């Protein structure tokens, strides 16, 4: 029976690819045993069991750049996590360990590589993260989503696979009647989808609130996913517009496949997983890169598309003044929407999960 560890998480951008890889592994090897290793208290501890997989948690977390003293506990938990990861690897004895990014990925992959277990890491961003750069010299294969990653990694270890996305997104046709019915929307109006990633995005939400009258005076439909942290404020702000059937405000869109189906334009952060989805679904998008990520990698992700005329970039610091006006100008311009759709499709990497699984199984059979 083949056995695999998949490690990482923290955000949907890490968790969705991880689950997609696990599902693809099970399709190829139905008897495969898969164990996830995540970070305690992070969303993977809930989402992975919901997907039907076992998970063990490590007490690992990120460094606090604002309060240096708090890092004493972070370092203690890191050492504890390294020790726990060794025990998990020794006890489970995987054929291959896979890291998808996130706090738990580094200790687990280091533990596996140290005892000679083949290891694979996924780097979905156009600018490699610190943990993956540190792991690179010890891992077997590095799966990437962008060209030119040899500036970060040994070229002989790189395989361009793309980044896996949620497979259910492709089960619904574009402009499907059932999708419009789900939201109570009309097929005659254009639809703007506003999302800030799995945790929400303060800047995007503040921009919407600031320009709400302008947004609602346009003859379009709006799906606004605020994220849990910002939902109550958004709900309170939009109370006076509660009878407006063109506006749907929610903390979480349960049917993102329907949301993408009806969306003529998307406003989003520039996380790698989201970008992979936009490329595969050919969605015109305005990207507002988060400034609160390592090495400003979301801006680099966005620029890779902007250079190919495949997306529009609005900097975070300029969003409140220009995001909604930019969106309204764009959504009314069919020619520009069509051009963005055609160009972003050129960046698509289909069947990424299956291609990563091919790499994993090759290593498993060699081992």
């Amino acid at each position: 029976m083949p056995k695999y560890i998949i490690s990482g998480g923290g955000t949907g951008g890490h968790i969705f690819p991880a689950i997609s890889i696990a599902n693809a592994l099970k399709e190829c090897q139905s008897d495969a045993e898969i164990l996830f290793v995540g970070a305690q208290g992070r969303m993977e501890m809930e989402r992975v069991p919901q997907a039907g997989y076992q998970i063990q948690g490590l007490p690992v977390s990120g460094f606090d750049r604002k309060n240096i003293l708090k890092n004493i506990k972070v370092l203690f938990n890191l050492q504890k996590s390294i020790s726990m990861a060794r025990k998990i690897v020794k006890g489970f004895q995987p054929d291959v360990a896979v890291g998808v990014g996130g706090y738990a990925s580094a200790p687990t992959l280091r533990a596996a590589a140290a005892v000679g277990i083949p290891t694979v890491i996924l780097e979905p961003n156009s600018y490699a993260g610190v943990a993956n750069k540190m792991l690179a010299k010890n891992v077997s294969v590095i799966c990437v989503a962008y060209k030119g990653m040899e500036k970060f990694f040994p070229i002989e270890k790189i395989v361009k696979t793309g980044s896996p996305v949620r497979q259910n997104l492709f089960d619904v046709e574009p402009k499907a009647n059932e999708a419009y019915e789900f939201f109570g929307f009309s097929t005659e109006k254009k639809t703007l989808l506003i999302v800030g990633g799995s945790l929400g995005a303060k800047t995007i939400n503040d921009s919407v609130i600031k320009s709400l009258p302008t947004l609602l005076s346009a003859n379009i439909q709006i799906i606004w996913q605020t994220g849990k942290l910002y939902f109550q404020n958004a709900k309170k702000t939009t109370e006076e517009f509660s009878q407006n059937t063109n506006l749907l405000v929610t903390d979480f869109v349960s049917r993102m496949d329907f949301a993408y189906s009806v969306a003529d334009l998307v406003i989003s952060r520039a996380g790698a997983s989201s970008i992979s989805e936009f490329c595969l679904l050919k969605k015109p998008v305005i990207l507002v890169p988060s400034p609160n990520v390592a090495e400003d990698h979301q801006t680099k992700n966005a620029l890779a598309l902007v250079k190919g005329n495949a997306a529009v970039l609005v900097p975070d610091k300029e969003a409140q003044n220009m995001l909604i006006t930019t969106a309204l100008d764009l959504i009314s311009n069919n020619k520009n929407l069509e051009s963005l759709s055609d160009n972003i499709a050129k960046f698509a990497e289909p069947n990424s999960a299956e291609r990563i699984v091919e790499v994993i199984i090759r290593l498993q059979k060699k081992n």
Side-chain angles (χ1 to χ4, degrees), residues 95-114:
D95 294 293
V96 182
V98 182
V100 296
Y103 300 133
S105 193
T108 309
L109 271 284
R110 277 184 181 278

Side-chain angles (χ1 to χ4, degrees), residues 246-267:
N246 289 333
L247 175 66
L248 172 66
V249 185
T250 179
D251 62 334
F252 179 74
V253 176
S254 61
R255 291 298 302 265
M256 191 56 80
D257 52 347
F258 284 167
Y260 279 141
S261 175
V262 302
D264 295 280
L265 176 65
V266 182
I267 292 173

Side-chain angles (χ1 to χ4, degrees), residues 12 20 40 52 55 63 117-118 129 157 179 203 211 214 218 222-223 239 267 280 295 297 302 304 310 354:
S20 292
Q40 292 171 5
I55 186 166
F63 285 95
I117 292 166
K157 293 186 179 184
T203 298
S211 300
T214 305
I222 302 130
I223 301 170
E239 267 175 5
I267 292 173
L280 287 160
E295 284 100 14
H297 68 254
E354 290 78 8

Side-chain angles (χ1 to χ4, degrees), residues 176-191:
N177 284 331
E178 60 178 326
Y180 283 99
E181 287 166 9
F182 180 82
F183 296 111
F185 281 176
S186 165
T187 57
E188 302 300 314
K189 294 179 181 177
K190 286 185 178 173
T191 304

Side-chain angles (χ1 to χ4, degrees), residues 263-277:
D264 295 280
L265 176 65
V266 182
I267 292 173
S268 173
R269 286 301 201 193
S273 186
S274 296
I275 285 178
S276 293
E277 292 176 355

Side-chain angles (χ1 to χ4, degrees), residues 262-317:
V262 302
D264 295 280
L265 176 65
V266 182
I267 292 173
S268 173
R269 286 301 201 193
S273 186
S274 296
I275 285 178
S276 293
E277 292 176 355
F278 303 144
C279 294
L280 287 160
L281 294 164
K282 305 179 183 178
K283 285 292 156 187
V285 62
I286 298 173
L287 297 169
V288 186
S290 171
N292 309 311
V293 294
E295 284 100 14
D296 196 24
H297 68 254
Q298 286 203 6
T299 296
K300 296 175 176 77
N301 290 345
L303 287 171
L305 293 182
V306 170
K307 286 173 186 171
N309 297 314
V312 173
L313 189 159
V314 171
D316 189 88
K317 63 186 178 185

Side-chain angles (χ1 to χ4, degrees), residues 125-238:
N125 294 296
S126 62
Y127 193 93
V130 173
N132 275 352
K133 284 190 277 190
M134 288 169 61
L135 287 168
K137 63 175 183 274
N138 296 317
V139 300
S140 312
V141 180
I142 303 161
C143 295
V144 302
Y146 290 88
K147 294 175 183 174
M149 298 304 285
E150 60 274 8
K151 61 179 174 279
F152 304 111
F153 304 127
I155 192 167
E156 68 276 7
K157 293 186 179 184
I158 295 173
V159 179
K160 189 165 180 278
T161 59
S163 179
V165 300
R166 297 169 280 187
Q167 291 308 302
N168 66 332
L169 297 177
F170 305 95
D171 295 341
V172 181
E173 291 292 318
K175 307 297 178 189
N177 284 331
E178 60 178 326
Y180 283 99
E181 287 166 9
F182 180 82
F183 296 111
F185 281 176
S186 165
T187 57
E188 302 300 314
K189 294 179 181 177
K190 286 185 178 173
T191 304
L192 174 65
L193 172 62
I194 304 168
V195 290
S198 54
L199 302 176
K202 186 176 186 300
T203 298
I204 292 176
N205 290 329
D206 288 348
S207 302
V208 174
I209 288 168
K210 183 177 179 181
S211 300
L212 203 54
T214 305
L215 190 57
L216 293 176
S217 65
N219 189 31
I220 63 168
Q221 298 162 145
I222 302 130
I223 301 170
W224 178 16
Q225 178 182 288
T226 64
K228 283 184 182 177
L229 284 177
Y230 311 106
F231 178 61
Q232 290 305 323
N233 185 42
K235 191 177 176 185
K236 188 177 178 182
T237 307
T238 57

